[in-house]
């Protein structure tokens, strides 16, 4: 099996007929449909509206958004190409605030553009498309490497709790947290998954449960408030989650509710691992308190889709992410190895190695 092979078979994003296609994750698991994208503006809309979500997948989508815009503008004058591209970077950067992979991918595309100043506009569009393809292929390779490091941490028979969806659907393939589980299963371990449903957007119930059911990896769905009970009964052996941004000191931003799970894991002496590609570590942010946390619409809390259950007029908070302090993290699983009990020093050393 090569590192860039996507064994889950789920192609969250794919390049087809000169367009980007993305699985519409808003309607899974009831329907499985791809939506086509042909511009930066439309990709930004796909990110904003949660057609695509999950930090690495958002980064891949943004890279394709830039490539699509370059293709679209390549027959225009250099001046209008430059103006259009500037706008493309802006609109994509404004699509969602927390996942740093978005800004990481945009920076990488910007650097590629700057390094190709002498290319014609057609050549530049080609260079940017090749770079977007490379970001996607690299993401799968990294997930498989992290998967191998992470799999070694799980005992045969482990019951692993996960929160949100850090699977193939949140990446270009294989997944980060679910990648660890997939790799452990591939290595012959009997792993079972406990999936938190992940209120309010239900990524656990709709996406993680679907991915595991597709692959016949045993999965049990629970509501978020059941995790503590299961831990207290000795029914959870490890927690593995993904992340949207890790600060330089190891504080971890991930889907709302992750912090609660980490506190409970500490209380019950259960290892709490975070699968984290290096592109998700933001060395410019000293600690988790400075990570921008997205606030999402109130109607996600007052109901789901057409069904509203909360009292009309009630005030609502809907932070989409929370921050787990580094002291609660047993290990960051990266493509360069596992950083146990992460600290600023250990993270800096890993980047320099
Ligand atoms: O709001 P979402 O669905 O984009 O949030 C996703 C998460 O919080 C994931 O756990 C995180 O991005 C890691 S994905 C490998």
């Amino acid at each position: 099996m090569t590192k860039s092979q996507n064994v889950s078979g789920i192609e969250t994003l794919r390049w087809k007929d000169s367009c980007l296609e993305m699985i519409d994750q808003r309607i899974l698991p009831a329907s499985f449909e791809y939506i086509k994208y042909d511009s930066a503006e439309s990709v930004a809309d796909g990110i904003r509206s949660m057609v695509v979500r999950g930090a690495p997948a958002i980064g891949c989508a943004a890279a394709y958004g830039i490539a699509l815009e370059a293709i679209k503008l390549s027959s225009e004058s250099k001046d209008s190409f430059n103006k259009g591209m500037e706008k493309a970077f802006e609109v994509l950067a404004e699509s969602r605030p927390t996942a740093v992979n978005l800004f990481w991918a945009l920076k990488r595309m910007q650097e590629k553009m700057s390094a190709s100043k002498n290319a014609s506009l057609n050549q530049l569009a080609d260079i940017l498309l090749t770079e977007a393809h490379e970001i996607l292929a690299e993401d799968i390779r990294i997930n498989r490497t992290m998967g191998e490091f992470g799999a070694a941490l799980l005992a045969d028979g482990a019951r692993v709790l996960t929160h949100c969806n850090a699977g193939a659907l949140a990446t270009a393939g294989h997944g980060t947290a679910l990648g660890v589980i997939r790799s452990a299963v591939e290595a012959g371990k009997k792993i079972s998954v406990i999936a938190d449903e992940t209120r309010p957007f239900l990524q656990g119930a709709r996406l993680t449960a679907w991915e595991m059911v597709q692959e016949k990896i045993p999965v049990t769905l629970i509501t978020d408030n059941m995790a503590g009970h299961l831990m207290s009964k000795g029914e959870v052996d490890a927690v593995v989650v993904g992340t949207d941004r890790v600060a330089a000191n190891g504080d971890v931003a991930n889907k709302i509710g992750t912090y609660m799970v980490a506190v409970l894991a500490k209380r019950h002496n259960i290892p709490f691992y975070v699968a984290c590609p290096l592109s998700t570590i933001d060395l410019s942010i000293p600690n988790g308190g400075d990570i921008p946390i997205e606030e999402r619409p109130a109607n996600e809390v007052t109901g789901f889709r057409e069904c509203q259950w909360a009292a009309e007029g009630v005030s609502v908070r809907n932070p989409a992410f929370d921050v787990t302090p580094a002291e609660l993290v047993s290990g960051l699983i990266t493509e360069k190895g596992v950083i146990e009990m992460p600290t600023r020093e250990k993270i800096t050393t890993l980047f320099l190695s």
Side-chain angles (χ1 to χ4, degrees):
M1 173 108 38
T2 65
K3 281 264 160 86
S4 55
Q5 259 179 296
N6 183 6
V7 279
S8 71
I10 299 169
E11 282 187 295
T12 305
L13 320 92
R14 67 184 183 197
W15 185 253
K16 207 169 165 213
D17 303 330
S18 304
C19 283
L20 172 67
E21 291 189 346
M22 302 198 283
I23 297 173
D24 187 350
Q25 300 194 30
R26 299 167 305 179
I27 56 174
L28 273 173
S31 306
F32 183 93
E33 280 172 27
Y34 279 95
I35 301 182
K36 261 188 194 311
Y37 295 88
D38 63 0
S39 66
E41 177 75 52
S42 65
V43 172
D45 191 55
I47 296 172
R48 205 178 304 116
S49 64
M50 307 285 278
V51 167
V52 67
R53 31 66 52 199
I58 291 172
C60 292
Y64 278 109
I66 291 298
L68 283 164
E69 199 65 22
I71 294 166
K72 215 175 77 177
L73 296 173
S74 59
S75 53
E76 305 216 351
S77 70
K78 181 87 181 161
D79 194 43
S80 76
F81 178 89
N82 286 341
K83 281 199 185 113
M85 290 308 288
E86 201 177 310
K87 192 147 174 281
F89 278 101
E90 265 170 36
V91 75
L92 284 161
E94 281 164 8
S95 57
R96 284 191 83 189
T98 305
V100 74
N101 306 61
L102 169 68
F103 309 99
W104 171 89
L106 290 176
K107 184 164 175 270
R108 187 159 150 176
M109 297 300 276
Q110 184 85 67
E111 283 166 0
K112 202 74 198 174
M113 247 177 91
S114 310
S116 318
K117 280 218 160 67
N118 297 327
S120 70
L121 297 186
N122 279 328
Q123 285 168 333
L124 190 49
D126 268 359
I127 290 168
L128 291 174
L129 180 60
T130 305
E131 189 66 2
H133 290 327
E134 178 49 29
I135 288 174
L136 182 133
E138 199 178 282
D139 186 55
I140 299 172
R141 286 198 296 273
I142 287 170
N143 292 339
R144 294 198 63 82
T145 306
M146 283 194 304
E148 281 167 30
F149 283 124
L153 300 168
L154 300 180
D156 191 15
R159 295 155 300 175
V160 182
L161 184 138
T162 190
H163 191 76
C164 192
N165 172 268
L169 288 165
T171 62
H174 198 63
T176 60
L178 295 190
V180 167
I181 287 160
R182 285 193 168 97
S183 294
V185 170
E186 274 169 41
K189 292 182 182 175
K190 278 198 166 45
I191 303 290
S192 55
V193 176
I194 299 158
D196 279 352
E197 74 170 344
T198 319
R199 278 272 293 143
F201 210 71
L202 307 181
Q203 290 94 330
R206 296 189 302 105
L207 309 176
T208 295
W210 179 76
E211 283 195 36
M212 296 293 93
V213 167
Q214 294 295 300
E215 276 164 68
K216 301 194 168 43
I217 296 175
V219 59
T220 303
L221 177 64
I222 59 169
T223 60
D224 302 333
N225 50 0
M226 295 173 187
H229 177 69
L230 262 58
M231 287 183 186
S232 76
K233 294 284 177 195
E235 293 183 34
V236 178
D237 300 305
V239 176
V240 185
V241 295
T243 170
D244 289 81
R245 194 183 302 222
V246 171
N249 69 342
D251 290 349
V252 170
N254 191 46
K255 181 52 54 195
I256 194 75
T258 303
Y259 171 49
M260 215 162 62
V261 174
V263 171
L264 283 166
K266 186 73 160 185
R267 167 81 173 89
H268 295 286
N269 228 358
I270 296 166
F272 177 89
Y273 296 113
V274 179
C276 166
L278 294 181
S279 55
T280 309
I281 301 180
D282 185 352
L283 294 178
S284 75
I285 296 236
N287 54 61
D290 295 328
I291 297 176
I293 302 292
E294 177 182 11
E295 284 273 345
R296 294 193 52 83
N299 64 359
E300 289 178 359
V301 175
T302 54
F304 189 72
R305 294 190 179 141
E306 305 315 310
C307 174
Q308 298 299 312
W309 49 67
E312 201 65 50
V314 67
S315 80
V316 168
R317 282 294 310 276
N318 188 12
F321 300 93
D322 60 25
V323 175
T324 298
E327 65 186 88
L328 299 179
V329 177
S330 313
L332 288 179
I333 304 165
T334 78
E335 65 270 37
K336 281 197 178 176
V338 179
I339 313 178
E340 283 174 22
M341 312 294 293
T343 60
R344 192 181 306 276
E345 294 67 34
K346 289 183 193 174
I347 289 175
T348 313
T349 310
L350 188 85
F351 266 92
L352 296 175
S353 68

